[in-house]
Amino acid sequence: MAIQGIDLSIIWGVIIAFGLMMYVIMDGFDLGLGILFPLISDTSERDVMMNTVAPVWDGNETWVVLGAAALYGAFPLAYSVILEALYLPLVLVLAGLIFRGVAFEFRFKASAQKRHWWDKAFIGGSILATFFQGVAIGTYISGIPVVDRQFAGSALDWLAPFPLFCGLGLILTYALLGSTWLLIKTEGMLESRMRHYSRPLAYLLALVIAIICGWTALIHDDIAQRWLAGSHWLRSAAIAVLAVAAVLVIQKSLRKRHSHWPFIAVVALVFLGYLGLAISIWPNIVPPAISLWQAASPASSQLFALIGALFIIPVILVYTFWSYHVFRGKVKVGDAYH
């Protein structure tokens, strides 16, 4: 819907995309810590890992709440179709996040003899939430069948090779975000281990991204056209070159033992993948057939919600940046934020 030349649907599409991107990055390294937990056996080092996100982890999830609420208010048709199509994966994502959150809090209160149970819950919840987030993304890319504005597929459409592979790919993504985050926040042997793990994880993630891109182009001619038809190949080539450059920066900065650049380069790589996803589905919000404008709520509803969002989003951003500023610096053994 447009008001005096302003396309509210595009504005809301950008807001939702921004919110979900912030969630992927900020809760991504949180979940990545749980994925990396089995590689670290020392209890004090596990404590340090968790303390690097203890002051901020719950605030990071604000972004997915913002994205879901915005989708419901601005594009109710898309919300209903996507929720019905991805009901089971999203329920499993929520279950994983609950396990992760409960384990996070109770682990610090448990006795030394029982702490390993909460460690397992933290690991399991992190992997479960991450894997099914990836499955949901893969199912979304694959396309959601819609007939007469109703979901026309099966509740198990997500149980297919491509979505499951995307689930594994997201586990790698979050693990790399987590390992490079720990380069910023830790020191000593834990930092050295994370630097060692980050190198193969970066190469594996690059390979997975290449496979997903090729697989997507093979099974979706319309997406292949958006990438390669006419002069579009120049845009796709630019994204590919930047992605290769990001991988090279990751590896070079790891060799030079930089603390921040590996994480920044991984974030850039994730952003480029996210940009490729946006290009693949544009202008649809429910691929392959429902556009932003077909799914939009009335312009008055979008405008009313936008006024509130213009107040809320700056508050979230200020709170987020301030909390990370306050708790900046390395976390050492013995530091505690609980």
Side-chain angles (χ1 to χ4, degrees), residues 162 165-166 169 172-173 201-218 227 239-240 243-244 247 269 272-273:
F162 181 75
F165 185 78
C166 288
L172 279 175
T173 303
L201 282 172
Y203 285 128
L204 282 173
L205 180 57
L207 177 62
V208 166
I209 291 172
I211 292 172
I212 289 175
C213 289
W215 197 340
T216 302
L218 284 174
W227 288 354
I239 293 174
V244 171
V247 174
L269 183 61
L272 290 168

Side-chain angles (χ1 to χ4, degrees), residues 159-214:
L159 197 59
F162 181 75
L164 296 177
F165 185 78
C166 288
L168 295 176
L170 197 64
I171 287 176
L172 279 175
T173 303
Y174 285 2
L176 183 58
L177 279 168
S179 65
T180 51
W181 165 256
L182 290 174
L183 297 181
I184 299 173
K185 300 295 292 182
T186 64
E187 57 187 12
M189 285 302 298
L190 181 57
E191 181 188 1
S192 297
R193 289 193 187 96
M194 291 303 115
R195 198 173 300 277
H196 174 73
Y197 295 141
S198 295
R199 293 190 181 96
L201 282 172
Y203 285 128
L204 282 173
L205 180 57
L207 177 62
V208 166
I209 291 172
I211 292 172
I212 289 175
C213 289

Side-chain angles (χ1 to χ4, degrees), residues 113-300:
Q113 294 77 16
K114 295 182 179 179
R115 184 171 293 180
H116 69 97
W117 290 110
W118 296 112
D119 284 349
K120 291 179 175 65
F122 183 66
I123 294 166
S126 299
I127 293 174
L128 184 70
T130 302
F131 178 73
F132 281 101
Q133 283 180 25
V135 167
I137 294 170
T139 307
Y140 181 77
I141 296 171
S142 297
I144 298 174
V146 177
V147 176
D148 295 330
R149 298 170 65 87
Q150 299 288 330
F151 173 60
S154 163
L156 297 178
D157 282 351
W158 55 272
L159 197 59
F162 181 75
L164 296 177
F165 185 78
C166 288
L168 295 176
L170 197 64
I171 287 176
L172 279 175
T173 303
Y174 285 2
L176 183 58
L177 279 168
S179 65
T180 51
W181 165 256
L182 290 174
L183 297 181
I184 299 173
K185 300 295 292 182
T186 64
E187 57 187 12
M189 285 302 298
L190 181 57
E191 181 188 1
S192 297
R193 289 193 187 96
M194 291 303 115
R195 198 173 300 277
H196 174 73
Y197 295 141
S198 295
R199 293 190 181 96
L201 282 172
Y203 285 128
L204 282 173
L205 180 57
L207 177 62
V208 166
I209 291 172
I211 292 172
I212 289 175
C213 289
W215 197 340
T216 302
L218 284 174
I219 62 178
H220 295 291
D221 290 338
D222 56 332
I223 293 179
Q225 290 296 314
R226 291 192 187 99
W227 288 354
L228 304 173
S231 61
H232 292 174
W233 72 270
L234 291 171
R235 178 183 60 196
S236 301
I239 293 174
V241 169
L242 289 173
V244 171
V247 174
L248 294 177
V249 170
I250 293 169
Q251 297 297 337
K252 183 176 180 179
S253 57
L254 286 171
R255 288 195 300 272
K256 290 183 174 294
R257 304 190 67 80
H258 289 298
S259 59
H260 289 67
W261 274 109
F263 182 75
I264 293 170
V266 173
V267 170
L269 183 61
V270 172
F271 172 76
L272 290 168
Y274 199 73
L275 180 61
L277 170 61
I279 292 170
S280 300
I281 65 173
W282 176 262
N284 297 319
I285 193 168
V286 182
I290 298 180
S291 70
L292 287 168
W293 303 277
Q294 291 171 324
S297 59
S300 58

